[in-house]
Amino acid sequence: SQQGEEDPQALSIQEGENATMNCSYKTSINNLQWYRQNSGRGLVHLILIRSNEREKHSGRLRVTLDTSKKSSSLLITASRAADTASYFCATDAGTGRRALTFGSGTRLQVQP
Amino acid sequence: NAGVTQTPKFRVLKTGQSMTLLCAQDMNHEYMYWYRQDPGMGLRLIHYSVGEGTTAKGEVPDGYNVSRLKKQNFLLGLESAAPSQTSVYFCASSPGVGRGQETQYFGPGTRLLVL
C-alpha cells in the first residue's frame, strides 16, 4: 500500500517560477524524506525532515511538515530546466528496518 | 566510490525462466533494500536486510528470494519469472539505524521485461 500520496501528479512551470508539491501520509512517522528521480535514473536524496521539525531549508528547497494533518510540502524556488524530474516523498515509520514507504510521485516539467 | 551498482541494467526473460539481480555497495552500509517501481505506483519494498546474513520480507515479497552472504552484496532472485514481475528494480542501502543514518542511496536500476 502507498503511504504517501503526492499532489499534483504532474506540474509544468516556466523557468524562474516556484514549484510546490504536496505529500499526504497515513500513519505516524519518524521522519519524511524527499527524493528526486531523473528520467531513467535511480533516486537521489534531497532532504529529510524529522517528526519534531516543522520546516527545513536546503539551498533552493524548502520543506514543511505538519504532523497533525499528516502532510508535507516541498517548495523549489527559482526553478531551472535541470529541476525537471519526478519527486517522491517517502516516510520512515521508525521501525528497526528503516525501510521507506514511497508515494507515487509528482512529475515536474520546467520549461526553459 | 562507485556507491550502489546494479547488474544487469536490462534483461528480457521468458515466463518461467529464472534470474538473479546483483546489487553491490562500497560504502560499508549495514542496511540494504530491494524495491520495484511500476508506472504510477512509486516504489514498493520487496525484501530488505539489516546486516550480513539476514533478510526479511517487505511489502511485496511473493515470487522473489534474496540473499546477503557478504555485507557489500544483496542478491534478488526470481525463480520462475511471471509477466507481473515486469518492472524496474532498484537496490538501495543505508548506513544503519540511528540519527543521521536514515538516508538511502539508490542504484541506477535494472529494467526487467518478462514475456
Side-chain angles (χ1 to χ4, degrees):
Chain A
S1 62
Q2 297 293 302
Q3 161 79 312
E5 294 296 332
E6 279 95 337
D7 171 56
Q9 290 187 330
L11 181 61
S12 182
I13 60 174
Q14 296 295 125
E15 223 171 12
E17 293 180 338
N18 295 342
T20 300
M21 288 159 266
N22 303 296
C23 168
S24 61
Y25 58 92
K26 298 174 183 174
T27 62
S28 296
I29 61 171
N30 177 277
N31 66 72
L32 185 145
Q33 303 178 35
W34 285 89
Y35 287 79
R36 183 186 73 215
Q37 183 180 34
N38 290 87
S39 181
R41 301 289 190 92
L43 279 72
V44 175
H45 180 262
L46 294 176
I47 194 166
L48 179 152
I49 187 166
R50 301 187 187 284
S51 59
N52 61 350
E53 297 175 314
R54 292 297 167 258
E55 187 171 313
K56 204 162 183 181
H57 296 256
S58 176
R60 293 184 296 112
L61 306 179
R62 173 179 168 253
V63 169
T64 62
L65 179 64
D66 187 335
T67 53
S68 67
K69 295 181 179 179
K70 291 187 169 59
S71 67
S72 174
S73 68
L74 172 67
L75 169 67
I76 303 174
T77 60
S79 62
R80 306 165 181 169
D83 294 329
T84 293
S86 290
Y87 292 80
F88 295 88
C89 70
T91 54
D92 180 350
T95 59
R97 69 181 191 180
R98 284 282 185 238
L100 297 174
T101 304
F102 285 83
S104 53
T106 293
R107 294 186 306 279
L108 174 64
Q109 177 76 40
V110 182
Q111 307 285 353
Chain B
N1 287 352
V4 179
T5 59
Q6 292 183 232
T7 308
K9 288 184 172 56
F10 176 69
R11 184 76 182 268
V12 178
L13 287 180
K14 294 182 180 178
T15 297
Q17 287 185 320
S18 63
M19 78 164 293
T20 300
L21 283 68
L22 171 64
C23 175
Q25 53 93 5
D26 61 2
M27 297 173 284
N28 200 35
H29 286 173
E30 290 292 333
Y31 284 40
M32 296 187 75
Y33 311 86
W34 276 107
Y35 295 92
R36 60 177 288 174
Q37 183 177 31
D38 300 302
M41 297 269 308
L43 277 72
R44 291 182 292 170
L45 182 67
I46 305 171
H47 285 280
Y48 64 98
S49 168
V50 300
E52 182 178 318
T54 73
T55 63
K57 295 180 180 180
E59 184 185 349
V60 288
D62 293 343
Y64 305 95
N65 57 74
V66 288
S67 64
R68 186 139 180 233
L69 300 179
K70 293 182 179 181
K71 186 177 183 178
Q72 63 267 33
N73 296 337
F74 195 28
L75 278 64
L76 177 70
L78 286 73
E79 290 187 348
S80 179
S84 61
Q85 293 177 304
T86 292
S87 188
V88 182
Y89 292 86
F90 288 98
C91 176
S93 70
S94 64
V97 296
R99 194 176 178 87
Q101 297 183 315
E102 305 97 330
T103 298
Q104 291 193 12
Y105 298 81
F106 283 81
T110 293
R111 191 173 297 273
L112 177 64
L113 174 62
V114 183
L115 301 175

